[in-house]
Amino acid sequence: MAGHSSTEHDPGLTLTTQQPVAQQRIVDLLQAAWAVFVKDLRIELRTRYAINAMVLFAACTAMMVSIGTTFIGLRRTEEALLIQASLLWIALLFAAISGLSRGFVHEEETRTLAALRLAAPAIAVYLGKFLLNLALLALLGVITSLLFIVLVRVQVGSPLAFLGILAAGGLSLATSTTILAAIITRASFKNALFAVLAFPLLVPPLIIAIQGTAATLAEGGGVLALPALQFLIAYSVAMFVASLLLFRFVWEA
């Protein structure tokens, strides 16, 4: 009788039985998120809606900036570096806005939202859409940066710091635009509403990203870009956690 009671109330036994269950839930969640990501990636590679829109906008912006700077003849001053960084991030921002809202809008247009709600948990859906936006922004960042380096003749003084700011800024864009895309899914004027909602969320990290990028364009400016990098990472973490907490209510509304 005593042995049975000690086994029944043994906290160590309960903990060991709960650990495999929790681990399996995490594995299932990650597998579902990866399945959503692969599904959306295949759709995007087939339709190329977001990729074409973002790359075309970035290429047109880089070309126009290249023509403008050729006539103006910017010298390599602190103001010129700030202008180049501003133009780079403006191109990235508007190119991202033109394509990243499609993640959830496509589900609404094809009437697959209900099936997706049944097939995957809410957090898995968010993670899958977030991974897709992150992959698109990584591609957009590489293409836009190369276009600006070649066409606008942007000279990077600290390449590693430049890549770090570019990655952290892209992460900030991905965390913000993913939850906003879910919010506007059922709105009538999706693109206009997306731009309006994105403006107050993206302006603070955009300003910091511009300042950090301008620092990396100067020689030996990697140390000066460290505060901007820290801010962008902190902003991304805060937005990611807030999105995970809020997405279930947005998704089930």
Side-chain angles (χ1 to χ4, degrees), residues 215-239:
T216 63
L217 297 182
E219 294 293 337
V223 178
L224 298 177
L226 185 58
L229 183 62
Q230 293 173 340
F231 175 87
L232 292 173
I233 293 175
Y235 178 89
S236 301
V237 171
M239 281 299 303

Side-chain angles (χ1 to χ4, degrees), residues 87-247:
L87 294 173
L88 173 63
W89 278 103
I90 289 173
L92 285 171
L93 173 65
F94 285 99
I97 289 178
S98 66
L100 294 185
S101 62
R102 292 290 302 175
F104 291 94
V105 173
H106 177 77
E107 304 286 355
E108 176 68 20
E109 291 176 350
T110 56
R111 301 292 189 268
T112 56
L113 277 177
L116 189 58
R117 287 192 179 96
L118 296 175
I123 296 179
V125 173
Y126 171 79
L127 292 176
K129 302 290 186 181
F130 170 74
L131 288 176
L132 178 66
N133 285 347
L134 197 60
L136 292 175
L137 277 170
L139 177 63
L140 176 65
V142 172
I143 294 176
T144 307
S145 299
L146 290 177
L147 287 174
F148 267 72
I149 291 173
V150 174
L151 298 178
V152 190
R153 294 179 293 278
V154 174
Q155 300 178 7
V156 181
S158 302
L160 290 179
F162 177 80
L163 291 176
I165 292 292
L166 193 67
L171 186 62
S172 301
L173 287 176
T175 53
S176 301
T177 53
T178 303
I179 187 65
L180 291 178
I183 293 175
I184 66 161
T185 301
R186 297 183 179 180
S188 300
F189 303 97
K190 297 178 176 60
N191 291 332
L193 183 60
F194 184 80
V196 171
L197 294 178
F199 183 78
L201 284 179
L202 297 181
V203 165
L206 183 66
I207 294 174
I208 300 300
I210 291 173
Q211 294 174 348
T213 303
T216 63
L217 297 182
E219 294 293 337
V223 178
L224 298 177
L226 185 58
L229 183 62
Q230 293 173 340
F231 175 87
L232 292 173
I233 293 175
Y235 178 89
S236 301
V237 171
M239 281 299 303
F240 183 76
V241 173
S243 298
L244 286 179
L245 296 176
L246 296 176
F247 182 76

Side-chain angles (χ1 to χ4, degrees), residues 4-20:
H4 175 71
S5 176
S6 61
T7 304
E8 183 180 356
H9 298 287
D10 187 0
L13 180 61
T14 304
L15 183 61
T16 55
T17 56
Q18 289 179 348
Q19 286 180 347

